[in-house]
Amino acid sequence: MSQSPPLAGLRVLELARILAGPWIGQLLADLGADVVKVEAPEGDDTRKWGPPFVEGAEGENLSAAYFHSANRGKRSITADFRTAEGQALVKRLAAHADVVVENFKVGGLEKYGLDAASLRREFPRLVYCSVTGFGQDGPYAPRAGYDFLVQGMGGPMSVTGEPAGAPMKAGYAVADIFTGLYASNGILAALRRRDLTGEGATLDMALLDTQIAVLGNQAMNYLVGGQPPARLGNAHPNIVPYDVFPVADGHIIIATGNDGQWRKLCEVLGEPTLAEEPDYIDNRSRVKNRVALTERLHRLCQRYAKLDLLAALEKVGVPAGPINDIREVFADPQVIARGVKVDLPSAAAKAGHIPTVASPIVMDGVRQVAERTSPRLGEHADEILNDPAWGGPQHG
């Protein structure tokens, strides 16, 4: 028996653009919420952040791939917040929303009466989520926040990259995306509390806070050990061997997590006595002597072809794997079997569909992904304005 999406009936008003805020709306839409995206008349900036662009049936531009990465499942309407008409439209929609998501600069919506204090005063059950670079208070609060800057300020670039190389950011928007995920958790918690108390909430989500939070063990290594972790390339600060290793025809990852796996690795590499040498007998010793051990393992691994060594390690339960480019990711049989890539039907698109990467949430065997593609600018204006759930005319 088919089930309703878990957030069916939840109404979300998205006053956000770029990535962190829209990521929240997309995840909630995947889970069944009705997400209305209010865009400026010129549209979300990322509609133009290409190439590549999705091509329409008539050769028209259906917005950049970047926009489609964070906006599926939503309906779009436009409003100019600078006008009384635009402000009235947003307030009308907010009156019927459960959640508002915005990512304007601190105080940016105050002059329009669309800030958290103003809307929650009028609609106390509203869960209002603000996403900024640095939060609503503190000396950096007025600054604009950008993922790249936050990766630099929040620590990860100091531990990413080769030891002798330049600091390196992640190849995707870590701070933006993780902020979207943490914010979604906060929103759902606030809604749960509202079920119990009847009161909404104001969420203050900062990219910098999130970036520091996801340092995880690296932050704790510093807080406990007193020394800032250094860049180790692909190596792990607390486990050895846990790195990229050269083989005869490329590179592989070997990620031993305990001494038993270490001994099996040495057996596969034809050097079982290496595991018993005092300098390498346990993880503490291997971390201490990582440089010498890594050099020896490089020489040993280079005697094997990639597929042969991966097969041998898998057979004995040593964690190892290839380093796929994104084309190889989507061709991987596990990824195909799990249905991670989804083609959403679209009559407007030349291909008849728009590809998307589904939410990783699988509930009761059903992958949670919105059935609607990302909207064209203002596509659903009439539909939204006439929707009784959002204050449209009542019929019946």
Side-chain angles (χ1 to χ4, degrees), residues 93-112:
L93 296 173
H96 298 274
D98 297 291
V99 178
V100 169
V101 176
E102 60 91 4
N103 60 352
F104 284 75
K105 290 182 183 179
V106 171
L109 291 178
E110 211 169 310
K111 56 184 173 289
Y112 307 131

Side-chain angles (χ1 to χ4, degrees), residues 220-232:
M220 287 301 296
N221 286 344
Y222 165 70
L223 293 175
V224 173
Q227 292 295 321
R231 295 194 301 279
L232 294 173

Side-chain angles (χ1 to χ4, degrees), residues 167-379:
M168 188 68 65
K169 74 176 183 67
Y172 59 100
V174 175
D176 279 335
I177 290 174
F178 270 111
T179 300
L181 296 177
Y182 272 102
S184 300
N185 275 274
I187 287 167
L188 295 177
L191 290 168
R192 171 61 176 152
R193 190 181 72 177
R194 189 184 74 174
D195 290 342
L196 301 175
T197 67
E199 285 293 315
T202 300
L203 298 178
D204 171 11
M205 302 298 304
L207 300 186
L208 183 61
D209 294 357
T210 298
Q211 185 63 87
I212 296 168
V214 299
L215 289 173
N217 59 296
Q218 290 283 41
M220 287 301 296
N221 286 344
Y222 165 70
L223 293 175
V224 173
Q227 292 295 321
R231 295 194 301 279
L232 294 173
N234 291 302
H236 196 289
N238 304 107
I239 311 170
V240 175
Y242 198 102
D243 207 336
V244 169
F245 292 91
V247 291
D249 55 347
H251 293 81
I252 66 169
I253 294 168
I254 298 174
T256 59
N258 56 55
D259 293 335
Q261 291 172 355
W262 161 239
R263 288 190 290 272
K264 291 176 182 177
L265 171 63
C266 293
E267 291 170 5
V268 168
L269 294 176
E271 296 284 347
T273 58
L274 179 62
E276 305 305 323
E277 293 185 22
D279 282 351
Y280 312 131
I281 195 165
D282 58 22
N283 186 66
R284 178 190 289 264
S285 303
R286 294 193 296 275
V287 170
K288 181 180 178 182
N289 297 290
R290 73 164 66 237
V291 174
L293 176 57
T294 299
E295 290 176 354
R296 290 181 68 174
L297 290 176
H298 279 199
R299 292 195 294 271
L300 293 173
C301 289
Q302 286 176 307
R303 302 186 306 190
Y304 298 86
K306 179 180 3 181
L307 294 180
D308 293 341
L309 184 52
L310 287 175
L313 293 173
E314 182 175 2
K315 186 175 181 180
V316 298
V318 174
I323 301 169
N324 292 332
D325 65 24
I326 294 178
R327 184 195 303 272
E328 292 168 326
V329 169
F330 287 106
D332 188 288
Q334 178 68 19
V335 176
I336 293 170
R338 291 286 291 175
V340 174
K341 174 181 173 287
V342 175
D343 290 327
L344 298 179
S346 171
K350 181 178 180 180
H353 65 267
I354 297 176
T356 194
V357 180
S359 160
I361 300 171
V362 178
M363 187 178 297
D364 295 330
V366 177
R367 187 168 291 278
Q368 303 298 302
V369 57
E371 297 178 355
R372 189 196 304 266
T373 62
S374 302
R376 285 169 287 171
L377 180 61
E379 177 182 357

Side-chain angles (χ1 to χ4, degrees), residues 53-190:
F53 296 93
V54 173
E55 186 177 357
E58 304 299 324
E60 73 275 32
N61 177 350
L62 297 185
S63 296
Y66 195 117
F67 175 81
H68 290 278
S69 75
N71 288 287
R72 69 170 170 265
K74 304 173 187 179
R75 297 192 284 174
S76 172
I77 190 170
T78 61
D80 187 344
F81 295 174
R82 296 167 297 184
T83 68
E85 181 184 20
Q87 295 161 23
L89 172 59
V90 173
K91 288 180 181 178
R92 168 189 152 177
L93 296 173
H96 298 274
D98 297 291
V99 178
V100 169
V101 176
E102 60 91 4
N103 60 352
F104 284 75
K105 290 182 183 179
V106 171
L109 291 178
E110 211 169 310
K111 56 184 173 289
Y112 307 131
L114 303 177
D115 57 301
S118 298
L119 289 184
R120 287 203 59 221
R121 189 180 306 117
E122 198 167 347
F123 314 117
R125 287 178 53 83
L126 195 62
V127 172
Y128 191 109
C129 177
S130 293
V131 177
T132 58
F134 302 99
Q136 299 292 315
D137 52 19
Y140 300 163
R143 296 185 186 179
Y146 295 91
D147 180 273
F148 191 6
L149 298 180
V150 169
Q151 286 197 44
M153 297 175 71
M157 289 180 66
S158 74
V159 294
T160 305
E162 294 298 329
M168 188 68 65
K169 74 176 183 67
Y172 59 100
V174 175
D176 279 335
I177 290 174
F178 270 111
T179 300
L181 296 177
Y182 272 102
S184 300
N185 275 274
I187 287 167
L188 295 177

